Amino acid sequence: MNPPAAVLDIRNLSCRVGDRWILNNISLRIDAGETVVLLGRSGCGKTTLLKCVNGLVQAAQGDIVFQGRSTSEWDPYRMRRFIGYVIQDFGLFPHWTVAANAGLVLKLENWEPPAIEARVHLMLDAVGLPPAEFAARYPRQLSGGQKQRVGIARALAADPPLLLLDEPFAALDPITRFELQQHFMELRSTFRKAALFVTHDVREALMLASRIVLLKDGAIDLIATPGTFLSGVTDESRAFLASLDSGTRRVDEPAPGD
């Protein structure tokens, strides 16, 4: 019996800008319910890989297969509606209500207004924003954590099989960040989505990942479960693990006075 098809299958992917190779021969499979965390220093190609998956950047070589079809065979706008995308700066329309922001993809998919309202209310409840209190608010009336919850509700609203998350909690204060990390794990258990999650925070990677993919200079340095990652089998993984013993400073940040 053949195993089920991956939600996302990245095959020998390389990408360059001018003469510089940003990604080099990346191969990665992501199955339903799995959170794969892309960990790496700034500039290692994490966000570029996410943009290649979403069709915002074209690869020079290789292929990306989403839901059993090469992304080259998809209409890019249609494909993006099947992929939830959560970004660091929330990406909310300031003059739209919370409900309108959360229901954007449903509107693009021509859902009927009563169905949009019901689904949006369900998603707002799921992310901890009671619709009676929050649906009619505007982004300016929300905290950073609440804005990101709206972004997650929007990403989940159309029930996509894949979520892409580009450092979604990086701009939040430590307490709010931890709360949303915990809530993300609850949502993952509830909705069982495949997720590709970008971070340069090793603590976040160890907390959230089913598998960690460590990138270095555009190539895969290591693929490991969180438990195996702690063994530090490569120089780059040991550098990230060393940052765990140096307070809250990230591995790509200079020490004070540097």
Side-chain angles (χ1 to χ4, degrees), residues 74-129:
W74 282 84
D75 174 272
Y77 300 103
R78 181 73 175 160
M79 183 184 72
R80 289 176 195 134
R81 295 177 193 176
F82 285 89
I83 299 175
Y85 206 1
V86 184
I87 58 178
Q88 181 177 331
D89 63 358
F90 319 125
L92 303 182
F93 293 100
H95 303 300
W96 288 19
T97 64
V98 164
N101 272 286
L104 171 62
V105 177
L106 305 180
K107 184 176 181 180
L108 293 173
E109 286 292 289
N110 297 312
W111 285 38
E112 293 295 326
I116 293 177
E117 182 179 14
R119 180 66 177 176
V120 164
H121 283 198
L122 181 66
M123 290 299 97
L124 291 178
D125 268 329
V127 299
L129 298 176

Side-chain angles (χ1 to χ4, degrees), residues 47-88:
T47 295
T48 299
L49 181 54
L50 238 61
K51 290 181 177 180
C52 285
V53 171
N54 213 25
L56 298 173
V57 171
Q58 296 301 312
Q61 299 172 8
D63 195 17
I64 300 173
V65 178
F66 171 58
Q67 291 288 87
R69 292 170 57 193
S70 172
T71 54
S72 64
E73 299 173 2
W74 282 84
D75 174 272
Y77 300 103
R78 181 73 175 160
M79 183 184 72
R80 289 176 195 134
R81 295 177 193 176
F82 285 89
I83 299 175
Y85 206 1
V86 184
I87 58 178
Q88 181 177 331

Side-chain angles (χ1 to χ4, degrees), residues 35 66 83 97 99-100 126 156 164 174 187-188 207 252 254:
T35 298
F66 171 58
I83 299 175
T97 64
L156 289 168
L164 303 179
L187 291 171
R188 179 177 64 190
M207 178 188 296
D252 57 348

